[in-house]
Amino acid sequence: MEFNRPEIADTLALKRRGLTLALLTLTYFFSFMDRQILAILLEAIKADLKLSDTQLGLLSGLVFAIFYATLGIPIARLADRTSRKRIIAISLAVWSVMTAMSGLAQNFTQLMLARIGVGVGEAGAGPPSHSIIADLYPPEKRASAMAIYSLGVLLGGGLGMMIGGVVAHAYNWRVAMMVVGLPGVILAAIVWLFLAEPRRGLSDAQRAMETPAMPSLGEGIAAMWRNPAALYLVVAVTLTSLVGYALTGWGPSYMQRSLGMSMLDVSKYVALPAAIIGSSSALLGGVAADRAAKRHGLHAQSWVVAVFKLIAFPFAVGFYFVDDPRIALASYFIAALFAGAYLGPSFALIQHLAPIKLRSVWAALTLLVINLVGLGLGPFLVGRLSDAMQPTYGAQSLRWAMLCVALLTPVAIFAYWRAGALMKQAVDRK
């Protein structure tokens, strides 16, 4: 049929790219809502199941991240060869069911197994989504598209906390898990039916011609290792994620323990404003990065992130030195206004640097490191430090544990600057 001709399929994929981006963003939203709902429920779960901060840190990070990150590689490899939208739809259904099943857990082991299930499901969404977006949007528009996609992180995490807290206050934490998890099954069916599957390299036609053969996984890893700009980007986004996951995973508990807020207060007065401000930051970062790229070159996108993070840093640290909830939250929101700007440019640059036929694999490799180190160690490290500091600092041990992790931010700022410098040097040599 005429509609099977490649040029017709390409036209349709590009015509529907707005819908595709919206569905991928909504999927990412559900991913982070299901992942981050645990943050607002930690204190309730701790009291119900009699858990330590170390156990809570494991549930928030490491046990989820190990499966989420490591399974991302083989699934991404499959996504580079088969239907990406089907992988995304199936993954969404799996993690949604497992989130709902978390509400049935009666002890640490059962809850841990449910969280592993969530990690297994979510492993299949990120890399194929990055690959599809890179195929639908050219380099000069990719950071903005990735920024829109990244709204799922900020809105999903924020609304997950808000919905989870309100439902848990009215009923209990178990009902909250089910309310957040089950609607994802419906979205999975919609994704299966309506998400576009673009031709690989559609927005990079010339580069697609340069890589006719499918490289091996080993070649993909070696290619990333040989690219110093990509390595610095991975270091930068990993450290940023470590600090971010530590804050989002333990922030509600810190607000309850050290600032005297209730779970309902955090849900009503922090979660939604933080989601809106963080989303504005992500969009601002994407637009600023694309404008900088048009004026100075793609390397400038990395420098834009470094500047935004430098502005946010003193306010992020100040959050832990103030006891007045109003002043502390003001500092927290100002930091959030700039801190979320890294999302779109970081992943867009990784996709720009990646070989066309290894985009899912490079995204998975990036997410592997981000999630093993950032998500896996961030919340766990805070929990472990909090338990270790408890004999000295008592109820304030969580405050100092979170501050220790936040002080890694300057290293991430340097890595973003260095990545931009290396990209510029590579262009200047050509």
Side-chain angles (χ1 to χ4, degrees), residues 22-82:
L23 287 175
L24 291 176
T25 302
L26 191 57
T27 299
Y28 206 23
F29 170 90
F30 271 75
S31 170
F32 262 79
M33 184 168 63
D34 290 6
R35 188 185 312 180
Q36 294 301 123
I37 186 177
L38 200 65
I40 193 65
L41 304 178
L42 284 182
E43 296 300 296
I45 293 172
K46 180 176 184 177
D48 185 14
L49 301 183
K50 307 297 187 296
L51 305 182
S52 68
D53 280 354
T54 299
Q55 288 176 309
L56 293 176
L58 284 169
L59 290 172
S60 300
L62 196 58
V63 297
F64 172 92
I66 287 174
F67 289 87
Y68 173 62
T70 55
L71 286 176
I73 298 293
I75 294 176
R77 193 60 178 160
L78 183 64
D80 276 330
R81 297 173 179 272
T82 60

Side-chain angles (χ1 to χ4, degrees), residues 93-356:
V94 170
W95 87 62
S96 298
V97 170
M98 296 308 295
T99 298
M101 290 184 65
S102 299
L104 303 177
Q106 298 299 313
N107 52 51
F108 172 76
T109 300
Q110 292 177 4
L111 186 53
M112 179 183 69
L113 291 173
R115 294 299 292 174
I116 288 173
V118 176
V120 170
E122 291 193 17
S129 297
H130 288 206
S131 177
I132 288 174
I133 293 170
D135 285 340
L136 289 174
Y137 290 87
E140 65 273 12
K141 296 181 179 180
R142 201 168 287 153
S144 294
M146 285 290 188
I148 293 172
Y149 171 71
S150 297
L151 294 180
V153 175
L154 302 154
L155 291 175
L159 292 182
M161 286 200 299
M162 184 184 74
I163 296 170
V166 170
V167 174
H169 177 78
Y171 299 96
N172 56 58
W173 68 269
R174 301 177 185 280
V175 174
M177 287 285 194
M178 296 178 187
V179 167
V180 167
L182 291 176
V185 178
I186 299 173
L187 178 61
I190 296 173
V191 168
W192 183 283
L193 293 173
F194 297 107
L195 190 74
E197 177 74 44
R199 177 171 56 83
R200 301 175 201 278
L202 175 59
S203 294
D204 296 271
Q206 183 175 356
R207 286 185 61 201
M209 295 285 291
E210 297 170 0
T211 54
M214 175 65 72
S216 68
L217 176 60
E219 289 171 336
I221 295 173
M224 176 175 274
W225 185 257
R226 291 192 302 267
N227 192 314
L231 293 180
Y232 271 102
L233 279 172
V234 172
V235 170
V237 74
T238 297
L239 290 176
T240 299
S241 298
L242 188 151
V243 175
Y245 279 123
L247 174 60
T248 56
W250 285 103
S253 290
Y254 169 72
M255 293 173 195
Q256 293 173 68
R257 295 186 196 180
S258 296
L259 300 182
M261 302 177 68
S262 68
M263 179 177 67
L264 189 60
D265 287 338
V266 177
S267 301
K268 292 171 62 177
Y269 305 123
V270 178
L272 185 58
I276 294 173
I277 292 171
S279 299
S280 301
S281 175
L283 292 175
L284 176 63
V287 172
D290 276 341
R291 288 183 178 177
K294 289 179 182 179
R295 180 172 297 182
H296 304 291
L298 282 172
H299 68 277
Q301 293 186 337
S302 194
W303 290 347
V304 167
V305 176
V307 170
F308 274 53
K309 289 185 66 61
L310 188 62
I311 296 171
F313 179 62
F315 296 99
V317 171
F319 173 59
Y320 301 109
F321 284 98
V322 181
D323 291 322
D324 186 314
R326 292 168 297 182
I327 300 175
L329 290 178
S331 184
Y332 172 79
F333 289 140
I334 293 173
L337 183 60
F338 298 96
Y342 79 97
L343 288 162
S346 298
F347 293 114
L349 286 172
I350 290 292
Q351 290 295 293
H352 170 73
L353 293 172
I356 293 291

